[in-house]
Structure formats: C-alpha cells, structure tokens
Amino acid sequence: MTNLKENTRLILAPMQGLVDDVMRDLLTRIGGFDECVSEFVRITHTVHSRATWLKYVPEITHANRTPAGTPCTVQLLGSDAENMAVNALEAVRFGADKIDLNFGCPAPTVNKHKGGAILLKEPDLIYHIVHTLRQRLPQHIPLTAKMRLGYEDKSLALECASAIENGGACALTVHARTKVEGYEPPAHWEWVRKIRDAVSIPVTANGDVFNLQDYLDIKTVSGCNSVMLGRGAVIRPDLARQIKQYENGETVKDTDFAEVSSWIVQFFDLCLAKEANNKYPVARLKQWLGMMKKEFEQAQVLFDRIRAIKEADKVKQILLSFEQEMHS
C-alpha cells in the first residue's frame, strides 16, 4: 500500500447547525478525515465560560480529538479583535490547541452583526483581527482562517487572502463562492487557484465536492492538495473514506444503504446520549435524512416513515426494524 502524500489532507467543514459534535463524532468514526473544525463560537461583548466552549467543542476535554482520534480545531466568529483575542486565550486556557477564524459565514443574522462574510468588504479589518490574535496567542498555537471569495463580488478576494496571510495566519481555507452566491452551483474553483498562487501559506479548497470525481477535479483546478468537505460528506457519509482509499491506492468501495442504516442508528444513539429529553435527536435525524435522500432513495423511504413522529422511542423502534430490513 502506498503512503498518502504528506500534504494531501481532508478536512471536515464547520457547518453551523449541521456538523455539531455528534455529526463530527460519527463522520470521523466512518473515517478518512485528517482534521475537523467546530461550529463557530460567536464572539460579541462577553467572555465565554468553560461551559460555553465545551458546549460547542466538547473535544477540548479529550486532547482536542473526536472519539475516533481526529483532531478538532476551535473556530471563532466575530469582528471585535480585542474581545476575540481575550476569548481565544480563554479557549486555549481550557485546552484548545488550534484556532480558526470565520470570514465566510453567509447567514444574514451573523452578517447583520458584522460577523462572517460581511468582513470580506473590509480587508483592513480582517488584517487587524488576524494580526491581533496572532500577537496575543502563544506562538505554539496555530492560527488559521476560512473565507469566501467576497460578499457581493470577487473584487477583494486576493486582498482579503493577503490580509489573512499578512496578519499572521499559517493556513487558509477558501470556499469558492461569494456570500451572495450562497451554496448555488457552480463553485469557482479557478478562483481558489488564483488565491493559492497569490499567497505563500497553504490553501485548502472547499465547495461542491459531492463525489470522488469532484474531489479529483477540485484538486486539479485549484492546485490544492488539501480539500475541505462540507455538505457532500453529510449527504454521502463515506465520501472521505472513499477519497482516502483512492489516495492510498486501495480499491474504492462504495457504501450501500445497509451500512448507512447502521450509521443512522449509531447517530441517533449518539444524539440521545447528548440530549435525550428534548426535540434534538428526532430533529437532527430528520435533518440528516432530508439531506441524504438526494443521494439514497432508501433515505426518503425512512424519512417518510418517521416524518410525522415526534417521540424518540418510537423513532428508535422504526430505525431498528428498518436496519433489520436492510440487512436481511
């Protein structure tokens, strides 16, 4: 078996309300990921308590690793450089060993409060935020950032990337769309290459990788060996595993829904272990099935069976009988 090229990396994207600690746990167990990034912890005027950090990034108490052993980076979102630095230092005090800054979130409520992608209109502010955190954090704590190509257009893309590099970030992830483009295809992978060519820090390409061929294409077009998977990894939970098999020179094995059904039961159990007495487990399961049905018609069948059910114990019974059907 050939070894992976040293700089070929697969990273699980930070997706608010979707890739929480439970989804990170499951997807990194399935395998293929070299790293994952937490949902953003929003920084406004307060200094967060340990409980808040652990709510978003419980991996902090396990040497910043998921139960499968995959490293997890803490992501911050905000525009107040000073308070972001204070909070980053608190996160480090509680155990965080790597900090990522979010300059890409497209959510209107976040942007309205000067967080995420809205900052791409102000490269000087981006530089100030990155520089402030780099100056304040201990040197051994890596500081990275994620950006989109811009807010309305791409005119400041290279300037924003340079601001991140010059501020002192050691790596950059680029989602290949503007805020206005949201998640509408196509992703502009050629712009990731422009950014990669303009900066000297490592660049990770992100956007519209839904299968192995997309992965090969984004690497070719962007020139990046590091790729971040988001929705594609949620819709097809074995995507990272397939990519890693390919990169290792192994036979690429496509999953079947019998295997997926076992992951669904495992995911629901993990959700119940986290919060059993509220709507969380059932809501998260329906959200996931709603995405997977684009790829697996059996996910639609299962979704229809639980669609109207709110009680976790009834849902669990349906999941177990469905899993038996899939394995029989």
Side-chain angles (χ1 to χ4, degrees):
M1 189 175 85
T2 56
N3 283 329
L4 270 175
K5 292 187 288 293
E6 233 176 284
N7 56 353
T8 300
R9 286 179 60 72
L10 266 189
I11 304 169
L12 177 59
M15 300 205 299
Q16 202 68 9
L18 181 61
V19 183
D20 63 355
D21 60 302
V22 173
M23 186 63 82
R24 292 193 296 272
D25 182 357
L26 182 80
L27 292 180
T28 57
R29 284 183 200 223
I30 293 167
F33 287 107
D34 299 294
E35 185 184 347
C36 57
V37 184
S38 76
E39 297 172 282
F40 64 74
V41 180
R42 195 157 165 190
I43 310 299
T44 51
H45 310 298
T46 54
V47 179
H48 291 312
S49 66
R50 183 173 184 273
T52 299
W53 294 107
L54 297 189
K55 175 184 167 190
Y56 288 101
V57 203
E59 292 93 341
I60 286 174
T61 59
H62 304 285
N64 298 287
R65 290 175 183 271
T66 66
T70 306
C72 182
T73 297
V74 176
Q75 189 181 73
L76 308 186
L77 177 144
S79 57
D80 180 337
E82 182 60 33
N83 207 33
M84 288 177 77
V86 171
N87 274 281
L89 283 167
E90 283 294 276
V92 168
R93 185 165 74 86
F94 296 131
D97 62 1
K98 186 175 179 182
I99 301 290
D100 186 68
L101 300 176
N102 180 318
F103 300 117
C105 178
T109 48
V110 167
N111 294 166
K112 193 170 73 180
H113 293 97
K114 212 166 182 181
I118 194 82
L119 296 169
L120 296 168
K121 290 181 168 187
E122 301 184 56
D124 289 347
L125 179 54
I126 286 178
Y127 169 83
H128 175 61
I129 292 168
V130 178
H131 182 68
T132 301
L133 269 81
R134 184 63 280 169
Q135 293 295 108
R136 299 281 292 281
L137 283 167
Q139 277 308 304
H140 71 278
I141 301 291
L143 178 66
T144 60
K146 185 172 188 224
M147 63 176 276
R148 282 179 172 249
L149 297 177
Y151 195 79
E152 281 114 357
D153 58 50
K154 304 170 186 68
S155 59
L156 294 174
L158 298 181
E159 210 176 320
C160 288
S162 294
I164 287 167
E165 178 183 27
N166 295 335
C170 63
L172 171 64
T173 299
V174 181
H175 180 103
R177 294 183 180 89
T178 63
K179 184 273 182 204
V180 170
E181 287 166 341
Y183 294 99
E184 287 299 310
H188 308 285
W189 297 338
E190 71 283 359
W191 269 90
V192 182
R193 179 177 282 271
K194 289 180 188 182
I195 290 171
R196 193 209 70 151
D197 291 345
V199 299
S200 57
I201 57 176
V203 174
T204 297
N206 171 233
D208 280 6
V209 179
F210 293 102
N211 54 50
L212 180 57
Q213 190 58 53
D214 291 339
Y215 167 78
L216 298 175
D217 291 344
I218 198 174
K219 282 179 73 178
T220 301
V221 176
S222 71
C224 298
N225 268 330
S226 180
V227 175
M228 179 176 276
L229 306 179
R231 292 167 301 149
V234 177
I235 292 168
R236 174 160 281 283
D238 68 323
L239 178 57
R241 188 175 73 181
Q242 282 188 35
I243 291 169
K244 198 52 66 89
Q245 287 167 342
Y246 172 86
E247 289 284 12
N248 276 332
E250 299 166 7
T251 304
V252 177
K253 295 183 180 126
D254 205 351
T255 190
D256 57 22
F257 208 73
E259 187 176 32
V260 175
S261 69
S262 299
W263 294 334
I264 290 169
V265 172
Q266 188 177 21
F267 176 74
F268 195 65
D269 285 342
L270 290 168
C271 287
L272 287 169
K274 181 181 177 177
E275 294 182 41
N277 300 319
N278 61 22
K279 299 174 185 171
Y280 171 81
V282 176
R284 291 288 281 125
L285 177 65
K286 289 177 181 175
Q287 178 193 36
W288 190 26
L289 289 173
M291 292 183 71
M292 275 199 291
K293 65 190 185 186
K294 298 169 189 165
E295 184 72 27
F296 301 100
E297 57 189 48
Q298 300 97 323
Q300 178 72 65
V301 173
L302 183 54
F303 182 82
D304 289 341
R305 288 190 195 176
I306 67 163
R307 186 195 300 265
I309 298 170
K310 294 174 182 172
E311 300 82 10
D313 53 345
K314 289 184 183 172
V315 169
K316 180 68 186 283
Q317 286 171 354
I318 293 167
L319 293 184
L320 290 173
S321 63
F322 187 84
E323 185 188 19
Q324 273 185 322
E325 280 173 43
M326 287 292 104
H327 284 89
S328 61

